[in-house]
Amino acid sequence: MTVQLNASAPFPARVVLLDLDGTLIDTAPDLAGATNHVLHELGRQLAEMSVIRGFIGNGVRELMRRALSIEQEPSETELDAAMVDFSQYYGAHLLDHSQIYPGVRDTLKALQTQGRELVCITNKVQVFTIPILQQLDLYDYFGLVLSGDSLPKKKPDPLPLQHTAAHFHQPISDCLLVGDSRNDTEAARAAAMPVACVTYGYHGDEPVQALNPDAVLDNMSELLDILA
């Protein structure tokens, strides 16, 4: 059931911005596979899936830093070396186990039919973002894809959200961000943009309701119920 948390709903949302990891696609299995590959190569103890899920959201370099820090904080040189191995492995195993969440594809189709502009906005770097979207046949739904390295700053900074509104010549109030974590809600609040959060994503032990989004969605299809 959709939970409305803001009297301003339904939202006009001429532009809908959607997070990738934990919102559109369950990428945790393959991110965990690449992370544990590196840990194994370094002779480190492997990390549990639940732990790695909590590390997702700030880009893969921060994911790898936090995974290495379970035993010992890495130097930047050590992290650089680990990232070379991570990137090679992850790039070859992007979609071994990752899957689109239920309701996502049909919702994107419906939003596109309604004439809304769709944006994929993620902290994942472009070299991984684009192939994932293309191989899952999602890329063509988006009029704009902003990866973690597309702009000088990424979420939770408001810059990607502000850039999107300017790109489509729309006021912030006519945009809606859909995400799954504090990065998303903090970016939205900083940009004064409405935000909805899905309950199934990567938000650690913190329930999304505690992030005070404008709406909470149990399934992406419920997004259609909150749009004007």
Side-chain angles (χ1 to χ4, degrees):
M1 184 177 75
T2 302
V3 181
Q4 300 288 349
L5 297 179
N6 191 316
S8 65
F11 306 99
R14 303 321 308 162
V15 181
V16 180
L17 301 77
L18 298 118
D19 175 53
L20 182 66
D21 301 89
T23 301
L24 295 176
I25 305 170
D26 183 9
T27 53
D30 293 316
L31 287 167
T35 300
N36 278 326
H37 166 77
V38 176
L39 294 177
H40 174 76
E41 292 298 302
L42 293 174
R44 303 280 193 96
Q45 182 175 348
L46 303 188
E48 296 288 338
M49 172 67 78
S50 60
V51 173
I52 292 176
R53 284 175 66 94
F55 293 165
I56 299 171
N58 289 299
V60 292
R61 186 177 179 88
E62 185 60 22
L63 164 62
M64 198 68 251
R65 182 195 303 277
R66 295 178 71 180
L68 291 171
S69 297
I70 293 173
E71 292 189 16
Q72 182 179 349
E73 183 78 21
S75 67
E76 289 303 308
T77 300
E78 291 170 331
L79 183 56
D80 287 343
M83 281 308 302
V84 171
D85 196 9
F86 177 97
S87 297
Q88 290 177 344
Y89 188 92
Y90 185 53
H93 299 273
L94 287 173
L95 293 171
D96 284 3
H97 304 288
S98 296
Q99 295 186 3
I100 302 172
Y101 283 111
V104 165
R105 190 181 300 278
D106 286 345
T107 301
L108 294 178
K109 288 180 181 178
L111 293 171
Q112 191 177 62
T113 298
Q114 291 172 357
R116 304 180 198 271
E117 297 287 358
L118 302 183
V119 180
C120 180
I121 183 166
T122 176
N123 284 347
K124 186 188 290 293
V125 294
Q126 181 174 308
V127 70
F128 300 139
T129 301
I130 302 302
I132 287 175
L133 291 174
Q134 289 176 334
Q135 291 176 43
L136 290 176
D137 293 325
L138 295 179
Y139 184 80
D140 290 341
Y141 288 110
F142 298 103
L144 180 66
V145 175
L146 291 178
S147 301
D149 52 352
S150 297
L151 298 170
K153 296 180 180 179
K154 59 187 179 181
K155 299 178 297 181
D157 192 274
L159 177 62
L161 283 63
Q162 295 163 339
H163 176 88
T164 295
H167 177 86
F168 290 106
H169 307 289
Q170 295 290 333
I172 289 283
S173 59
D174 282 353
C175 302
L176 175 69
L177 175 63
V178 183
D180 68 319
S181 70
R182 181 171 292 278
N183 268 348
D184 298 304
T185 56
E186 288 186 356
R189 295 309 177 211
M193 181 181 292
V195 58
C197 282
V198 298
T199 56
Y200 52 76
Y202 308 147
H203 41 82
D205 296 328
E206 187 174 36
V208 293
Q209 289 85 351
L211 302 177
N212 295 314
D214 297 299
V216 175
L217 311 173
D218 290 329
N219 184 288
M220 184 60 72
S221 63
E222 294 175 346
L223 175 60
L224 301 173
D225 298 332
I226 66 171
L227 301 180

